[in-house]
Amino acid sequence: MSDESKDVTGHKEKLSYYKALNDIANQIHSARDMDEIFLNLNSQILSLFDTERISIYVIDHKRKELYQRLKAGGATPKEIRVPINNESIAGYTANNAQVTNILNAYDSHELSMINRALAFDRSWDEKNSFTTKQVLTVPIFFKNTIIGVLQLINKNNGDRFTLEDQNSAIEMAKVLGIAFYNQIKLAQKTRKKTRFDYLINNSLITEKELGQAIILGRDQKVSVETVFINDFKVKKNDIGKSLGEFYGCDYVPYDSNYPIPGDLLARLKHVYLKNNLWVPLAREGGRVKILIDNPQRLDKVDSIKSLIHAENYEFYVGLREDIIRFLDYFYGTPQVVESDSIHDIMAKLDTDASEADDDATEIMTEDDSAIVQLVNKIITDGYKKNASDIHVEPYPGKSGAEIRFRVDGACTKYQTIPYHYKRAIVSRIKIMSELDISERRKPQDGKIKFKKFAPLDVELRVATIPTVGGEEDVVMRILAAGEPIPLDAMGFSDRNFKLFTHLISQPYGIVLVVGPTGSGKTTTLHAALNYINKPDTKIWTAEDPVEITQKGLRQVQVLPKIGFDFAAAMRSFLRADPDVIMVGEMRDHETVSTGIEASLTGHLVFSTLHTNSAPETITRLLDMGMDPFNFADAILGILAQRLVRTLCKACKEPYHPDKKEFDDLAKAYAGDFDSLGVSYTDDLKLHRAKGCDKCNNTGYKGRTGIIELLNGTDTMRALIQEKARMELLREQAVKDGMTTLMQDGIRKIFLGLTDIQQVRKVCVK
């Protein structure tokens, strides 16, 4: 054959080749069902590339894997999934967006020339009695984003895939990229919308996985959402977003700190709500909030409106399991030991009763047992939730009473009491506190020893305050008995720990711990006493009340009502051979002066004071009339502290701060920032709140102390004798090595314990 004839024949073969490629491309573009058209084109595609097998992989972004979408040639395994990394041929192509053209997949040397980690898994060949030799892989793109891989296996003539094969595969990959995108758009238009479209559109699940989840849910008798969470590791919040997007309303996750809407639940049965999967959440003005599994169920919506009358209704969507958890929480779970759940107690309160007499001062006889149980339940639940305070807040007129718990320094709503019984609740608490229930015009203080009323050994300090409309607010501080915390577990810096342990080990002098109410002063003092509590040391304490007990201490409960106050207790201690005296609080001139005298006569004295900072404590005591020379001789040190909420260890999220945030922290430190040993680098990590089930989606769990410790040095004593201004005292304390509250807080930010928002909430400097 002449050269001219060969050229004509070659030209015809090329035309035929590109015509076949173009014909396949047109059929793919016009296809409505890619799977079906690919099956019909199997033989044409294999013939076009003169190859034994072709596979098309699509990227599963959620799992960072390739899964086999289409296959031509040979038996089809159940499913092939390949990680997107450099350890497989298709995975390498997807990971690097690189074409590979391999002569022998079994040749490890050839594979290592492409990438050291590259290997070929022969198990597929062994299972199917097949031998893979030549492999050509091409990335499938759409708009510069890789969405899959086209893989050709084994050239029929046994040679390497040619450059023409490679170029044709690249052209085919372009066609497939456009076709896959168009199919997704077409499917979105024609496919019936589902409540999981958000998950599919964001590649969190695939259509195939949705079908699998429906089958698994039916077999396991659980919801599809539960299957996604447990088996497919989809985040609950993502499922909630999908439901909210589908139903056109907000998603509400379960929250164990959610206030119990007692007034809405009073006439509703637990079983009915559980069967119908809805629960009222709150009433705000004329609007009622309802959590429901399907806000588009008109029959449920009509039932809700007939049972709960309101001007407006606001519907929220929730997961089935979360709605049930809300119901169990609102009504009392089966695990609760109390004889009556909150639902049973609230049901006993007759919300249809005629309006109670506004001047009534006693609990109505028919409601007596229910009120008693309800108050016990409130206190028990507050204790279980680790609340420090319980607030009972009645509103005037026909408004009810709100019950709030303070947990980790933040108040959260617990329950709403119907207005018929708000005064009965207050009266019951006053009876338990041995207060005058007929006196509602002035504040009263009392205590509840709760073990007299329920099997729970806890004491509460009670304060009642008259409020507008003839009502009374009640605040109960829970004083749970406990063991002292070890001093080395309290978050001291090295300098503060060494100095504080040195100060509390002195034979005489006075050490003060200062801060606002609820800042952990008593806890710190008991930790200090625990550190020095030895058989050769006699320690007396005067407390109001005794919260923490320690073996080896002689602890005294003061009773101001009979004249046995802190000053009287201290005078008694001085006649009882003490080494160490701890006074719960220095409230007046007499207590402070007695404490100073005790420290000057050879005793070590600990006490607390309500001041904002360590230097300010000195000026406050001098203003109270203390002799500056005696006080200067007595003072060993002053520790000021605050409690900040700590980030939840289970969900706190590390992040790299920008330079501005770092500079703002350095500026707020306002001191020797270099002493922290922190510099701005690419590896610097801070942490922020995220939220999970363990912290009730707040992002915070527990509290830690931030501390400033003033040392009573000779220079400081000289300034005290001169009655120096507070600014001079602060400057000298810093020179002596004191880190301020803000500085200690910023140190704990860099340790990943808290964030700047929490630090700023409790201190200024």
Side-chain angles (χ1 to χ4, degrees):
M1 184 182 290
S2 65
D3 291 341
E4 185 177 346
S5 298
K6 287 180 181 179
D7 289 342
V8 170
T9 302
H11 184 65
K12 286 182 178 180
E13 286 176 353
K14 282 186 179 180
L15 284 175
S16 177
Y17 183 88
Y18 284 113
K19 184 177 181 302
L21 179 62
N22 190 55
D23 182 51
I24 291 170
N26 289 336
Q27 290 188 64
I28 290 174
H29 280 314
S30 61
R32 285 184 173 271
D33 186 335
M34 283 290 291
D35 298 311
E36 183 179 340
I37 196 66
F38 201 79
L39 288 172
N40 295 335
L41 292 172
N42 265 352
S43 57
Q44 288 178 253
I45 296 172
L46 290 170
S47 175
L48 175 71
F49 288 103
D50 191 27
T51 186
E52 287 187 38
R53 291 186 178 182
I54 293 178
S55 295
I56 297 174
Y57 292 92
V58 177
I59 289 181
D60 181 343
H61 291 281
K62 182 186 69 171
R63 298 188 182 183
K64 294 184 179 179
E65 291 179 339
L66 292 169
Y67 66 93
Q68 193 177 60
R69 171 74 185 274
L70 303 166
K71 185 176 184 295
T76 304
K78 187 175 182 182
E79 182 178 64
I80 295 178
R81 281 187 169 267
V82 180
I84 299 175
N85 56 33
N86 295 335
E87 295 176 4
S88 68
I89 298 171
Y92 170 83
T93 295
N95 197 36
N96 300 279
Q98 294 287 327
V99 174
T100 66
N101 192 340
I102 297 165
L103 178 62
N104 184 0
Y106 282 49
D107 186 347
S108 58
H109 177 70
E110 182 182 0
L111 298 180
S112 65
M113 293 295 289
I114 299 172
N115 187 278
R116 289 183 180 180
L118 194 59
F120 178 72
D121 183 2
R122 304 185 186 189
S123 62
W124 292 108
D125 282 3
E126 293 168 358
K127 288 177 184 176
N128 296 282
S129 301
F130 183 78
T131 302
T132 300
K133 296 176 183 176
Q134 302 84 26
V135 180
L136 173 64
T137 54
V138 177
I140 300 173
F141 287 97
F142 181 76
K143 291 185 177 180
N144 298 321
T145 299
I146 186 165
I147 61 174
V149 172
L150 171 64
Q151 179 174 269
L152 281 61
I153 297 176
N154 287 0
K155 190 78 172 170
N156 282 327
N157 61 11
D159 294 335
R160 185 190 295 272
F161 285 100
T162 64
L163 182 60
E164 195 170 58
D165 290 328
Q166 190 170 305
N167 291 335
S168 298
I170 291 171
E171 291 299 317
M172 176 68 81
K174 291 178 182 177
V175 171
L176 290 170
I178 296 168
F180 282 144
Y181 175 76
N182 290 336
Q183 188 187 33
I184 291 169
K185 285 182 64 179
L186 182 65
Q188 288 174 345
K189 289 180 180 179
T190 59
R191 181 174 58 84
K192 183 180 178 181
K193 286 186 177 181
T194 74
R195 60 187 190 275
F196 304 117
D197 285 353
Y198 173 88
L199 303 179
I200 294 171
N201 296 339
N202 287 275
S203 301
L204 298 173
I205 61 168
T206 64
E207 291 271 8
K208 186 175 181 181
E209 287 173 331
L210 174 57
Q212 291 173 346
I214 292 170
I215 294 170
L216 284 171
R218 191 182 301 124
D219 293 343
Q220 298 173 11
K221 296 182 179 179
V222 295
S223 66
V224 178
E225 293 88 341
T226 300
V227 174
F228 284 145
I229 293 169
N230 294 338
D231 296 351
F232 294 90
K233 307 306 177 187
V234 180
K235 293 180 180 177
K236 183 189 281 189
N237 282 342
D238 288 327
I239 296 174
K241 285 180 185 177
S242 190
L243 295 176
E245 187 179 278
F246 177 74
Y247 290 116
C249 62
D250 289 338
Y251 157 72
V252 174
Y254 172 72
D255 181 359
S256 65
N257 284 328
Y258 210 92
I260 299 175
D263 55 337
L264 294 174
L265 297 172
R267 297 177 60 192
L268 299 172
K269 296 294 183 183
H270 185 193
V271 175
Y272 169 79
L273 295 177
K274 205 167 189 176
N275 290 337
N276 288 275
L277 289 174
W278 65 271
V279 59
L281 292 179
R283 187 193 293 274
E284 294 180 356
R287 187 174 77 253
V288 170
K289 295 182 176 181
I290 305 291
L291 183 65
I292 190 170
D293 68 323
N294 183 353
Q296 294 177 0
R297 280 282 300 270
L298 297 180
D299 55 336
K300 286 189 183 182
V301 171
D302 290 341
S303 296
I304 291 167
K305 291 180 178 179
S306 67
L307 291 168
I308 300 176
H309 300 291
E311 295 175 15
N312 295 299
Y313 300 86
E314 193 169 319
F315 289 92
Y316 297 84
V317 67
L319 301 187
R320 174 183 176 182
E321 287 73 14
D322 280 356
I323 293 173
I324 291 172
R325 289 177 72 190
F326 264 120
L327 287 168
D328 288 342
Y329 163 54
F330 285 170
Y331 284 95
T333 59
Q335 289 77 24
V336 174
V337 177
E338 291 88 357
S339 57
D340 287 303
S341 68
I342 194 73
H343 164 59
D344 296 328
I345 296 169
M346 295 301 293
K348 292 176 183 178
L349 302 179
D350 183 10
T351 54
D352 290 330
S354 59
E355 185 176 349
D357 182 3
D358 287 340
D359 295 326
T361 58
E362 295 185 4
I363 304 171
M364 293 176 286
T365 305
E366 60 270 27
D367 298 322
D368 185 68
S369 63
I371 294 295
V372 168
Q373 291 177 58
L374 183 57
V375 172
N376 289 352
K377 175 70 173 168
I378 290 169
I379 294 172
T380 303
D381 281 0
Y383 175 79
K384 287 181 178 178
K385 289 178 178 291
N386 295 317
S388 60
D389 300 87
I390 300 171
H391 297 254
V392 181
E393 302 167 338
Y395 289 88
K398 291 191 176 182
S399 300
E402 297 288 344
I403 311 295
R404 295 199 289 168
F405 293 159
R406 185 180 293 278
V407 181
D408 289 341
C411 280
T412 56
K413 286 184 180 179
Y414 164 70
Q415 188 177 9
T416 304
I417 304 297
Y419 75 93
H420 306 86
Y421 304 101
K422 57 188 178 184
R423 288 192 177 174
I425 294 289
V426 173
S427 296
R428 174 60 188 168
I429 294 171
K430 289 170 77 174
I431 289 171
M432 296 169 72
S433 311
E434 299 180 359
L435 301 177
D436 184 358
I437 65 170
S438 64
E439 180 57 76
R440 297 192 307 196
R441 298 168 300 172
K442 64 181 182 181
Q444 298 184 67
D445 295 316
K447 290 177 187 172
I448 298 174
K449 291 189 176 180
F450 193 57
K451 65 181 178 181
K452 292 196 301 185
F453 307 98
L456 182 62
D457 187 12
V458 63
E459 190 171 336
L460 299 99
R461 189 169 64 210
V462 180
T464 69
I465 303 173
T467 52
V468 68
E471 305 296 344
E472 285 181 284
D473 272 33
V474 179
V475 179
M476 294 179 280
R477 163 68 54 96
I478 298 177
L479 308 169
E483 296 294 324
I485 299 173
L487 202 58
D488 56 4
M490 297 192 66
F492 282 86
S493 65
D494 289 341
R495 179 260 181 190
N496 287 346
F497 182 77
K498 290 175 183 176
L499 176 58
F500 192 63
T501 53
H502 170 72
L503 296 178
I504 64 177
S505 301
Q506 298 304 301
Y508 57 86
I510 189 167
V511 175
L512 298 174
V513 178
V514 303
T517 301
S519 60
K521 300 185 295 296
T522 302
T523 302
T524 300
L525 279 181
H526 269 279
L529 291 174
N530 185 48
Y531 185 83
I532 63 172
N533 185 5
K534 303 291 188 296
D536 58 355
T537 304
K538 177 75 172 188
I539 303 174
W540 284 98
T541 75
E543 303 171 68
D544 184 23
V546 176
E547 296 181 53
I548 301 170
T549 57
Q550 292 191 54
K551 186 177 180 181
L553 305 189
R554 306 314 300 149
Q555 296 177 263
V556 174
Q557 169 83 50
V558 298
L559 297 168
K561 289 181 180 179
I562 63 171
F564 184 49
D565 55 14
F566 286 121
M570 194 180 300
R571 287 193 298 271
S572 300
F573 293 164
L574 291 174
R575 298 189 293 271
D577 188 28
D579 292 310
V580 179
I581 296 172
M582 192 271 272
V583 184
E585 186 180 344
M586 289 187 167
R587 296 175 178 169
D588 50 46
H589 180 278
E590 184 181 5
T591 308
V592 178
S593 59
T594 306
I596 291 173
E597 288 174 16
S599 65
L600 292 173
T601 55
H603 305 97
L604 182 62
V605 178
F606 295 156
S607 190
T608 71
L609 209 66
H610 289 101
T611 54
N612 289 324
S613 67
E616 184 182 320
T617 305
I618 296 171
T619 57
R620 174 76 61 85
L621 290 171
L622 294 177
D623 288 344
M624 287 173 65
M626 296 302 103
D627 180 82
F629 290 93
N630 286 344
F631 180 56
D633 288 342
I635 193 69
L636 290 173
I638 303 172
L639 184 147
Q641 72 177 58
R642 300 288 189 279
L643 291 178
V644 295
R645 300 175 77 185
T646 52
L647 296 165
C648 174
K649 293 178 182 178
C651 68
K652 66 179 181 180
E653 186 176 48
Y655 72 99
H656 177 62
D658 57 31
K659 190 65 166 63
K660 182 179 181 303
E661 182 178 357
F662 180 83
D663 291 341
D664 288 344
L665 287 173
K667 183 178 179 182
Y669 193 84
D672 184 12
F673 186 72
D674 293 337
S675 64
L676 287 179
V678 178
S679 57
Y680 189 77
T681 64
D682 292 339
D683 297 327
L684 179 65
K685 297 292 182 187
L686 296 182
H687 292 79
R688 58 189 166 206
K690 185 177 181 183
C692 66
D693 290 341
K694 291 185 179 179
C695 61
N696 296 314
N697 292 305
T698 63
Y700 301 95
K701 190 173 179 66
R703 289 189 290 177
T704 189
I706 57 174
I707 290 162
E708 65 179 25
L709 181 55
L710 179 148
N711 188 10
T713 60
D714 291 339
T715 309
M716 182 63 69
R717 288 191 171 99
L719 289 174
I720 294 172
Q721 290 171 352
E722 296 168 4
K723 290 189 175 182
R725 290 181 297 109
M726 200 256 288
E727 290 76 10
L728 293 176
L729 295 171
R730 178 182 291 276
E731 288 177 11
Q732 183 58 46
V734 171
K735 288 179 183 177
D736 292 335
M738 183 185 83
T739 53
T740 65
L741 292 167
M742 177 64 77
Q743 290 171 347
D744 195 44
I746 291 172
R747 179 180 74 88
K748 284 179 171 144
I749 291 171
F750 284 109
L751 290 174
L753 297 175
T754 187
D755 55 36
I756 188 63
Q757 291 84 2
Q758 299 304 316
V759 174
R760 289 194 185 280
K761 281 181 181 180
V762 297
C763 65
V764 178
K765 296 181 179 179

